[in-house]
Amino acid sequence: MGSVVFAHVGLLAACSDGSDDVAIAPPPPPPPPAMASPQKVVVTGSRAMMESADAYYAPPVMVPQDPGRERYDGEEVSPVKLTNAEPVSTFSVDVDTGAYANTRRFLRQGNLPPRDAVRTEELVNYFRYDYDRPSDKSTPFTTNIDVARTPWNDDTYLMRVGLRGYDIAREERPAANLVFLMDVSGSMGQADKLPLVKTALSGLAGELGENDRVSIVVYAGAAGLVLEPTNSTAKIRRALDSLNAGGSTAGGAGIQLAYNIAEDNFIEGGVNRVILATDGDFNVGLSDRDALVEMVEKNRDRGITLTTLGFGTGNYNEALMEQIANHGNGNYAYIDSALEAKKVLGDEMSSTLFTIAKDVKIQVEFNPAVISQYRLVGYENRALREEDFDNDKVDAGDIGAGHQVTAIYEVVPTGTKGWIAPRRYEDQPARAATDRIVEAANVKLRYKLPTGSRSRLIEKQVMADAFTSARAPRGDFAFAAAVAAYGQLLRGDELMMDFSHDDVGTLAGRQANFWRQEFLELNALAGAASSSARGGG
């Protein structure tokens, strides 16, 4: 593995394109430094005991045993909407990237991923794009909208909505109360699991400020506290280095104990977050998803959020990992290498931990006099009801510092052949639509500030002439469209016409950035894989 990582590092150095907007990942973190006489950790029925006992005691949670297996919970590809019948599209933003790395894992193993494992919006949002920076913090993100002709359908257009959050300087970061919740059950003993978890969290420990605190909770047959709150990188790495895998998986017990520790050390006005690192094998105790979601939402409402980091193969419960992160106002990432660990918990730490806007919703109303049909590419499991948009009690996705969110619609102009044939008894567009024929769509965004309870509204019109003057996507937009096409092909989208993975590579073009170069390689692997090699699920 070391030789692969160093090869990646060399490629990184050679691939920098000098762009401020595209973060080039530095070399992955070195393994935790060797500590003198690391203490042995034993997970017992009461707590995780270290050779040198301390006064901090956390009550244990004990649960019975039940087996589990690898699971996905995908949605069907979004259907086409007739604008006359359903002019409004509403959804919650998604800043997760786990589906991209998990898809990469399958392709690296020579298999196509299960269709249920592919969420196109997470593939698109894995990359950064050339969106304008916010001018100040009064509005935490910019709204960027552009239009281009669809590369795979001559009769449709793509409309891209992009958000970019403001960056937080290190000295402006609020204090963080982090609880590392680590699965040390027997299933985590493989090289791509617990050892990689240690590397990932050790790297994050090196990013701490003087006001930050980290606790470590582990769970196997029982859940226990390994490290009480500290900002000592040496202590954190020593505790991480002492952990070994063994036993069954008391996942629900671990989450409950981690929330207890987070509540005990709550920082008013700071970041209070549990970071769960596991292969998702919750095969002991509180494995019912509804019960877990209820626990996560209860703590979210008290100001303790949840980030989930997935590892490994074989018994991975991705469905649970992704959903509880959504309900916990956190994010979900899949870590398949030391390089990915550095990207998620090093380069993107601010966007991972520090929220700048919460409950962010997007609503697009298309004018039926200009747009006859449309579909949203991805976001199937983030769809909201139209009435949810103005309801501040409805939870939605959060945006972290420096985060970007991209959504792509494929639309059919009125009077152009669409996916659905004209209806015999269909009414013509209403007068309100024809009176505003210069407008193709109205884009609205709602968000709350991190400590706010009432939402704010941003509204922006997309003019009809943006479509009449549109050309083939170029540069940054072309790459985003290529990633969207790659995702839809992996999902088996029947509306991709005859577009192929070769066409995806041509559309993406030559790239200088390491992560984008890797995408070209993965797309080629996907094109070479046969449908009979589809794995997982």
Side-chain angles (χ1 to χ4, degrees), residues 174-225:
N177 162 36
L178 307 178
V179 180
F180 292 171
L181 173 57
M182 301 175 60
D183 181 352
V184 294
S185 62
S187 66
M188 291 292 290
Q190 301 172 29
D192 61 348
K193 295 185 179 182
L194 186 57
L196 196 52
V197 173
K198 293 180 181 182
T199 298
L201 297 182
S202 177
L204 177 56
E207 301 287 337
L208 295 177
E210 61 181 10
N211 296 320
D212 300 331
R213 296 292 183 271
V214 165
S215 311
I216 298 179
V217 170
V218 299
Y219 63 91
L225 178 71

Side-chain angles (χ1 to χ4, degrees), residues 343-386:
K343 180 178 186 289
V344 172
L345 296 177
D347 307 334
E348 299 173 357
M349 187 192 74
S350 290
S351 55
T352 301
L353 298 181
F354 303 110
T355 299
I356 61 171
K358 65 181 182 180
D359 293 337
V360 183
K361 310 168 189 173
I362 297 178
Q363 186 171 84
V364 178
E365 180 181 0
F366 291 99
N367 183 349
V370 181
I371 302 298
S372 64
Q373 302 172 31
Y374 69 90
R375 65 174 183 147
L376 176 59
V377 179
Y379 291 94
E380 286 87 357
N381 68 345
R382 299 296 183 124
L384 298 174
R385 298 172 301 180
E386 184 175 350

Side-chain angles (χ1 to χ4, degrees), residues 486 501-502 519-529:
Y486 162 79
H501 284 284
D502 287 342
F519 165 77
L520 296 176
E521 178 189 351
L522 295 175
N523 176 65
L525 290 174

Side-chain angles (χ1 to χ4, degrees), residues 229-259:
T230 180
N231 70 340
S232 168
T233 301
K235 287 183 179 179
I236 296 168
R237 288 177 172 168
R238 185 181 301 118
L240 291 171
D241 193 47
S242 68
L243 298 175
N244 293 293
S248 54
T249 314
I255 291 180
Q256 182 62 71
L257 180 56
Y259 277 131

Side-chain angles (χ1 to χ4, degrees), residues 366-372 413-415 428-442 461-468:
F366 291 99
N367 183 349
V370 181
I371 302 298
S372 64
T414 299
Q428 295 300 311
R431 181 175 177 179
T434 56
D435 284 350
R436 294 181 174 84
I437 200 166
V438 295
E439 296 178 9
N442 188 50
Q461 287 74 45
V462 183
M463 309 312 292
D465 60 7
F467 292 87
T468 57

Side-chain angles (χ1 to χ4, degrees), residues 174-490:
N177 162 36
L178 307 178
V179 180
F180 292 171
L181 173 57
M182 301 175 60
D183 181 352
V184 294
S185 62
S187 66
M188 291 292 290
Q190 301 172 29
D192 61 348
K193 295 185 179 182
L194 186 57
L196 196 52
V197 173
K198 293 180 181 182
T199 298
L201 297 182
S202 177
L204 177 56
E207 301 287 337
L208 295 177
E210 61 181 10
N211 296 320
D212 300 331
R213 296 292 183 271
V214 165
S215 311
I216 298 179
V217 170
V218 299
Y219 63 91
L225 178 71
V226 168
L227 182 69
E228 62 182 68
T230 180
N231 70 340
S232 168
T233 301
K235 287 183 179 179
I236 296 168
R237 288 177 172 168
R238 185 181 301 118
L240 291 171
D241 193 47
S242 68
L243 298 175
N244 293 293
S248 54
T249 314
I255 291 180
Q256 182 62 71
L257 180 56
Y259 277 131
N260 292 346
I261 302 302
E263 185 176 15
D264 288 346
N265 298 280
F266 193 88
I267 299 176
E268 290 291 343
V271 174
N272 298 279
R273 183 165 302 211
V274 173
I275 300 177
L276 167 62
T278 178
D279 61 4
D281 183 19
F282 284 73
N283 64 357
V284 176
L286 189 60
S287 57
D288 177 73
R289 180 182 302 189
D290 292 340
L292 276 172
V293 167
E294 183 179 353
M295 178 197 297
V296 168
E297 289 181 338
K298 178 181 177 181
N299 284 279
R300 174 199 72 197
D301 294 341
R302 294 191 302 189
I304 304 172
T305 55
L306 174 70
T307 286
T308 59
L309 305 176
F311 295 82
T313 63
N315 55 354
Y316 186 48
N317 190 343
E318 198 257 11
L320 187 62
M321 295 287 284
E322 193 257 346
Q323 286 300 311
I324 62 174
N326 292 349
H327 289 280
N329 277 10
N331 41 8
Y332 156 65
Y334 182 82
I335 309 294
D336 58 343
S337 67
L339 201 57
E340 183 70 11
K342 182 66 172 69
K343 180 178 186 289
V344 172
L345 296 177
D347 307 334
E348 299 173 357
M349 187 192 74
S350 290
S351 55
T352 301
L353 298 181
F354 303 110
T355 299
I356 61 171
K358 65 181 182 180
D359 293 337
V360 183
K361 310 168 189 173
I362 297 178
Q363 186 171 84
V364 178
E365 180 181 0
F366 291 99
N367 183 349
V370 181
I371 302 298
S372 64
Q373 302 172 31
Y374 69 90
R375 65 174 183 147
L376 176 59
V377 179
Y379 291 94
E380 286 87 357
N381 68 345
R382 299 296 183 124
L384 298 174
R385 298 172 301 180
E386 184 175 350
E387 61 267 29
D388 292 339
F389 183 74
D390 291 327
N391 187 349
D392 284 350
K393 294 183 179 180
V394 174
D395 184 66
D398 294 0
I399 293 179
H403 251 151
Q404 293 189 354
V405 178
T406 298
I408 296 176
Y409 284 92
E410 185 175 2
V411 305
V412 178
T414 299
T416 302
K417 179 182 177 182
W419 301 288
I420 300 175
R423 294 174 173 176
R424 180 181 179 88
Y425 305 109
E426 187 173 59
D427 291 334
Q428 295 300 311
R431 181 175 177 179
T434 56
D435 284 350
R436 294 181 174 84
I437 200 166
V438 295
E439 296 178 9
N442 188 50
V443 179
K444 296 192 293 185
L445 296 101
R446 279 206 177 275
Y447 70 94
K448 299 172 188 170
L449 294 176
T451 58
S453 58
R454 299 189 63 179
S455 65
R456 301 182 178 188
L457 176 67
I458 298 175
E459 199 165 0
K460 196 169 187 177
Q461 287 74 45
V462 183
M463 309 312 292
D465 60 7
F467 292 87
T468 57
S469 62
R471 299 291 183 265
R474 300 179 181 178
D476 207 48
F477 195 170
F479 184 81
V483 180
Y486 162 79
Q488 293 302 98
L489 289 175
L490 291 174

